[in-house]
Amino acid sequence: MQNPRYALLSGLYAVALCHDVRGLYGDAVPPPRVRHELRGCEPRGELARAVTQAVVEGTAPLGTLDVETHDGAWRLAAVRVVGARGDVVTVESAGAPRRLYGAASAIPCGNLVRVSPEPPAELTHGEVTFLGCSPRGALRDALAAGAQEFETVRYQVLDRMAAPQHEAEAGRVTGVGASRHHHGLVDLTVAFPRSGLLPRQHREVWDLFHGYAPPSEPGTWRRFGGTARAEWLGQAARRAHRAPRPAPGSAHELDGRGITDEDAFLCALGEAVLGPGHAFPTGSPRALGEELSGCTLIWRHADIARACLGVTPLLVVPRPATFQEWVDGLRAEGVRVVLD
């Protein structure tokens, strides 16, 4: 198939290449809160602190928790400790745990046991249909044998060179039928987790970066916000190696209008130095200072970033750098920063 837009994968191998998708982009449903018991666990570090707080107050926020059990390592997200007795700690997390392959800081526990009932499938999953697909490998063999379902697959969003722009879990293939709009191909229906639906602006970002050349219009990143802007930044950083490196002694003018958070700063800086549709693949003050060492950065409307960078949200870990930390980090690596 020429220029597929999506791929379905089982293990390491693509089992279908597809032209389009229906139902993937929309408002994600937060995963249900799930309770687990950590049995045979010796709390330490942040978990020990949260257990102590939960004993006193009844519940305590924890964040991300990695545990190592007899059957491997697992990560739980958005965790709250809701109880503890003996060597059993009860936690509540956003969705089911995700398997890890190597977690040096995981808390050793005997078992991780789910105590919440499984919610009905219709509340957690919906149908996403990949359109105009060419099955291959194990999926093609399964369909030829008359199988009605197929194992869980992942999906990739592909650019014009068939490089993945995004990858995530999809679900079980639950239906197959002749494609109405793509002769000789099939449409594949997947039982897709509602929590995995993607914001519609993500598709627009991927379409803009679909070809070899990045978007050429200055300021295009400004139309996106939230996770879509973060996705823009990631796609732009992938293309940094194609842009000419800043030459020592060169001067670059940074338009500070709209720099209200770190992603906006990195998008604007990448465009100012590397050109539209490009961003530096690193995001710390000193590392960017190394990239720009010997250059002059003229920061227009710097008062906007001074009031916004590193101010909110205060509880993000790691804490975003403040305006002064960015300026100091750049200057420490030999960048002449002129604030206007």
Side-chain angles (χ1 to χ4, degrees):
M1 177 186 293
Q2 186 175 9
N3 296 327
R5 197 67 179 90
Y6 298 88
L8 298 180
L9 297 92
S10 177
L12 299 176
Y13 302 103
V15 293
L17 299 176
C18 307
H19 282 291
D20 205 352
V21 69
R22 182 177 63 239
L24 176 62
Y25 301 95
D27 297 327
V29 177
R33 302 291 292 177
V34 180
R35 287 198 175 192
H36 286 85
E37 288 183 351
L38 309 178
R39 299 179 181 176
C41 187
E42 295 184 7
R44 63 190 186 198
E46 283 298 299
L47 178 58
R49 177 204 58 77
V51 167
T52 301
Q53 182 180 347
V55 169
V56 175
E57 301 179 8
T59 181
L62 180 58
T64 300
L65 174 64
D66 295 342
V67 297
E68 180 84 38
T69 69
H70 69 281
D71 60 349
W74 303 88
R75 171 165 292 176
L76 295 91
V79 174
R80 294 191 70 88
V81 176
V82 295
R85 65 181 192 282
D87 64 351
V88 177
V89 178
T90 304
V91 299
E92 187 179 83
S93 64
R98 180 168 60 87
R99 181 176 287 279
L100 295 177
Y101 297 95
S105 60
I107 303 294
C109 294
N111 285 286
L112 177 64
V113 180
R114 179 174 178 142
V115 294
S116 294
E118 291 285 350
E122 59 267 21
L123 295 182
T124 60
H125 288 72
E127 289 189 347
V128 168
T129 303
F130 290 86
L131 306 171
C133 299
S134 173
R136 55 182 56 199
L139 177 58
R140 180 183 56 201
D141 294 343
L143 295 177
Q148 298 300 307
E149 292 187 354
F150 190 71
E151 63 187 28
T152 299
V153 295
R154 306 187 316 282
Y155 74 94
Q156 289 179 338
V157 182
L158 305 176
D159 65 16
R160 189 174 297 277
M161 285 67 69
Q165 294 177 288
H166 174 75
E167 179 175 335
E169 294 294 327
R172 289 182 300 104
V173 177
T174 58
V176 56
S179 180
R180 294 177 57 187
H181 303 291
H182 301 277
H183 179 70
L185 302 178
V186 298
D187 294 341
L188 298 171
T189 301
V190 173
F192 198 88
R194 296 183 186 275
S195 60
L197 296 179
L198 300 173
R200 291 175 176 84
Q201 278 199 322
H202 282 215
R203 183 170 193 161
E204 186 178 352
V205 170
W206 293 326
D207 286 347
L208 287 169
F209 283 95
H210 181 62
Y212 180 82
S216 59
E217 181 182 348
T220 308
W221 61 270
R222 296 177 184 273
R223 78 173 72 155
F224 303 103
T227 60
R229 180 171 291 176
E231 188 60 38
W232 169 281
L233 182 60
Q235 294 296 321
R238 289 178 54 202
R239 288 155 174 80
H241 67 282
R242 302 177 188 169
R245 312 316 297 167
S250 60
H252 307 274
E253 187 168 314
L254 175 62
D255 183 355
R257 291 173 296 181
I259 297 182
T260 56
D261 59 23
E262 187 169 299
D263 284 349
F265 169 65
L266 295 173
C267 286
L269 181 65
E271 180 171 289
V273 178
L274 302 176
H278 294 90
F280 289 102
T282 184
S284 69
R286 297 294 291 263
L288 279 174
E290 290 182 9
E291 296 276 0
L292 293 170
S293 182
C295 300
T296 296
L297 183 66
I298 305 169
W299 195 329
R300 306 293 188 190
H301 306 284
D303 56 310
I304 296 174
R306 187 189 300 275
C308 297
L309 289 184
V311 176
T312 56
L314 295 175
L315 299 180
V316 172
V317 178
R319 177 183 61 78
T322 65
F323 170 81
Q324 195 59 50
E325 287 169 340
W326 281 110
V327 172
D328 291 345
L330 292 169
R331 286 174 172 166
E333 297 299 325
V335 183
R336 181 171 176 261
V337 181
V338 180
L339 303 178
D340 181 13

